[in-house]
């Protein structure tokens, strides 16, 4: 029989405690190596996971306090008041009858109304800078500018020849000078917005805001005849001429027509607004956010009208101040590319109630054969700007 000492037995069959210590050490070394491979942030997360539940919480990661946002915004406009712009009168009606005391006998058939001047999408910019402190309070400053909302509608020439007529209060009648001409109306709108607001988080998903805002809505309506006259319309001096007989004299020089009607309104709105922002849905890096704002404003509006009569320009203007209401809504889809950069795609709507729109001012202008005057400003208009936006957020 071979005698085996205790030390030899221990070397051949290690004690269970030593086995457990060896396994634990191997596991620890493996965890540390994996943490080194993943970087410091992953190592801190691993250490946090291994802390006992009853122990103190580790300090949280520092969060971004500033967010800079830059977006391209595309807006279209609907709602341009309801004002007749062009009517048709048969071309065999004499000029004297058309413009004289018997005009009630030839009221014409409306073919173009300002409500048809819907403006398609135009590009602008939205810039904002927001600050948020760890307690959930914040401040934000933002600017929106869309300078080129335009609409153009042309009427005529008609076959057989018909008078294209625009009528304004008083003695003003506008027709084409010759049957080959069209009457063209253009509507040009510009929007600017600057706002500052304070924010408070009610929950990680919902934020309320209170702010001040300035909005400027500029609208211009202009009527022209095109192409230009082939000579002075001397036939108008005869009075009894019908449109088919209103022809330019041979070898006449081209005479440039100034716009026969131009009205420009400028609304400067100053007011307070409240808002709410909420994350509606989130999965992984993708989320959807909704935003609504509404406010009451003091609208300081002004209208300026320039009328051409016998190719002479006559200006008139008026101004007023009244209450207005503005509401805004947005639905934004966000995709987080990195911890700092987020892509955004949004659908936007901005509604004005109580603003001066250019077509509505025609009824506020009085004309005689030698003068033009403005009796006030129609500030009861409503209009909707809607479209989409895309851009990115950068948090730092």
């Amino acid at each position: 029989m071979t005698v085996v000492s205790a030390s030899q037995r221990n070397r051949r069959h290690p004690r269970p405690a030593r086995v457990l210590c060896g396994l634990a050490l191997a596991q620890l070394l493996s965890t540390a190596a994996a943490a080194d491979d993943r970087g410091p942030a992953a190592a801190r997360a691993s250490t946090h996971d291994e802390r006992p539940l009853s122990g103190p919480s580790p300090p949280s990661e520092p969060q971004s306090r500033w967010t800079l946002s830059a977006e391209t915004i595309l807006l279209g406009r609907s709602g341009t008041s309801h004002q007749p712009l062009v009517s048709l009168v048969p071309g065999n009606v004499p000029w004297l009858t058309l413009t004289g005391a018997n005009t009630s006998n030839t009221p014409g058939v409306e073919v173009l109304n300002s409500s048809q001047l819907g403006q398609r999408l135009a590009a602008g910019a939205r810039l904002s800078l927001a600050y948020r402190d760890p307690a959930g309070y914040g401040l934000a400053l933002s600017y929106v500018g869309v300078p080129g909302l335009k609409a153009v509608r042309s009427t005529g020439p008609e076959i057989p020849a018909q008078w294209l007529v625009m009528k304004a209060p008083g003695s003003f009648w506008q027709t084409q000078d010759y049957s080959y001409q069209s009457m063209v109306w253009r509507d040009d709108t510009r929007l600017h917005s600057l706002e500052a607001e304070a924010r408070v988080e009610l929950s990680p998903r919902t934020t309320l805001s209170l702010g001040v805002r300035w909005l400027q809505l500029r609208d211009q309506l202009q009527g022209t005849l095109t192409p230009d006259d082939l000579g002075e319309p001397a036939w108008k001096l005869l009075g009894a001429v019908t449109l088919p007989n209103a022809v330019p004299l041979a070898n006449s020089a081209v005479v440039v027509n100034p716009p026969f009607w131009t009205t420009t309104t400028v609304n400067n709105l100053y007011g307070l607004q409240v808002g709410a922002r909420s994350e509606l849905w989130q999965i992984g890096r993708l989320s959807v956010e909704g935003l609504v704002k509404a406010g009451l404003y003091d609208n300081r509006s002004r209208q300026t009208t320039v009328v051409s009569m016998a190719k002479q320009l006559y200006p008139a203007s008026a101004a007023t101040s009244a209450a207005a209401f503005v509401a805004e809504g947005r639905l934004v889809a966000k995709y987080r590319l990195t911890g700092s950069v987020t892509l955004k795609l949004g659908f936007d709507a901005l509604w004005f109630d109580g603003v001066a729109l250019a077509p509505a001012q025609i009824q506020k202008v009085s004309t005689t054969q030698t003068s033009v005057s403005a009796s006030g400003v129609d500030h009861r208009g409503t209009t909707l700007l809607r479209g989409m936006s895309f851009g990115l957020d950068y948090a730092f």
Side-chain angles (χ1 to χ4, degrees):
M1 176 182 294
T2 304
V3 179
V4 181
S5 64
S7 60
Q8 290 174 327
R9 287 196 302 270
N10 291 340
R11 285 194 298 268
R12 291 184 181 180
H13 306 286
R15 294 179 179 175
R18 292 183 181 179
V19 174
L20 294 176
C21 288
L23 292 174
L25 179 59
Q27 178 65 27
L28 181 59
L29 292 175
S30 175
T31 302
D36 289 340
D37 291 338
R38 296 193 304 267
R44 288 194 296 270
S46 176
T47 302
H48 171 70
D49 293 341
E50 293 168 3
R51 287 178 178 267
L53 295 178
S54 59
S57 300
S60 61
E61 292 278 345
Q63 296 182 352
S64 301
R65 294 197 175 192
W66 295 90
T67 301
L68 178 64
S69 178
E71 298 171 80
T72 296
I73 183 169
L74 302 171
L75 289 181
R77 177 179 167 225
S78 57
T80 54
S81 72
H82 190 81
Q83 170 63 39
L85 297 179
V86 183
S87 297
L88 295 182
V89 174
N92 57 8
V93 174
W95 169 257
L96 184 61
T97 301
L98 183 69
T99 60
N102 295 324
T103 55
S104 59
N105 298 327
T106 55
V109 178
E110 181 181 317
V111 293
L112 180 62
N113 193 285
S114 63
S115 60
Q116 299 172 255
L117 297 174
Q119 295 166 330
R120 297 183 178 180
L121 296 179
R126 179 191 285 123
L127 301 173
S128 65
L129 179 64
Y131 171 81
R132 175 193 176 279
D133 73 2
Y137 296 96
L139 299 171
L141 182 67
S142 63
Y143 167 77
V144 176
V146 183
L149 290 150
K150 298 180 184 296
V152 180
R153 291 293 299 269
S154 177
T155 302
E158 300 294 320
I159 301 176
Q162 296 195 64
W163 294 106
L164 307 174
V165 178
M166 181 264 180
K167 180 73 172 71
S171 62
F172 183 83
W173 276 74
Q174 179 67 49
T175 69
Q176 75 273 54
D177 290 336
Y178 300 105
S179 61
Y180 63 81
Q181 291 177 317
S182 300
M183 185 174 289
V184 181
W185 286 93
R186 295 176 173 84
D187 197 351
D188 183 356
T189 303
R190 302 178 184 181
L191 171 71
H192 296 281
S193 170
L194 183 63
E195 61 182 303
E197 62 183 17
R199 297 175 176 176
V200 58
E201 290 184 358
L202 295 184
S203 71
R205 290 178 176 267
T206 304
T207 301
L208 297 183
S209 64
L210 174 65
V212 294
R213 191 173 191 177
W214 164 75
L215 289 144
Q216 185 184 82
L217 184 68
R218 181 184 182 273
D219 189 31
Q220 184 180 81
L221 178 72
Q222 187 173 83
T224 58
L225 297 177
T226 186
D228 291 318
D229 289 358
L230 298 177
E232 292 286 353
W235 60 265
K236 289 185 177 180
L237 300 176
L238 303 177
V241 175
T242 62
L243 183 57
N245 297 324
V247 294
L249 298 177
N251 301 319
S252 297
V254 173
V255 178
V256 177
N257 296 310
F260 60 82
W261 192 280
T262 303
T263 293
T264 303
T265 59
V266 179
N267 300 271
N268 283 296
L269 300 98
Y270 305 88
L272 296 173
Q273 67 177 12
V274 295
R277 182 190 308 262
S278 180
E279 187 180 79
L280 305 176
W281 178 80
Q282 190 272 333
I283 180 170
R285 295 172 177 262
L286 184 63
S287 63
V288 176
E289 179 182 88
L291 179 147
V292 291
K293 294 180 181 179
L296 292 174
Y297 293 80
D298 174 27
N299 180 18
R300 301 177 185 179
S301 56
R302 184 178 185 86
Q303 70 115 328
T304 301
T305 297
V306 179
V307 180
S308 172
M309 295 185 291
K311 295 183 172 60
Q312 297 295 315
L313 300 180
Y314 297 84
S317 62
T320 190
S321 179
F325 176 77
V326 179
E328 180 180 7
R330 297 186 67 196
L331 189 65
V332 186
K334 296 184 176 183
Y335 182 79
R336 181 168 51 84
L337 288 178
T338 69
S340 299
V341 179
T342 301
L343 295 181
K344 301 196 298 185
L345 175 65
F347 299 91
D348 302 72
L350 185 63
W351 184 60
F352 292 84
D353 181 28
V355 291
L357 304 177
Q361 310 313 312
I362 292 176
Q363 296 302 319
K364 289 291 185 178
V365 176
S366 299
T367 61
T368 68
Q369 294 183 351
T370 57
S371 68
V372 177
S373 60
S375 60
V377 179
D378 186 321
H379 54 80
R380 299 168 298 172
T382 62
T383 191
L384 174 68
L385 283 77
R386 69 282 181 272
M388 60 184 299
S389 58
F390 58 92
L392 56 85
D393 289 343
Y394 176 69
F396 58 97

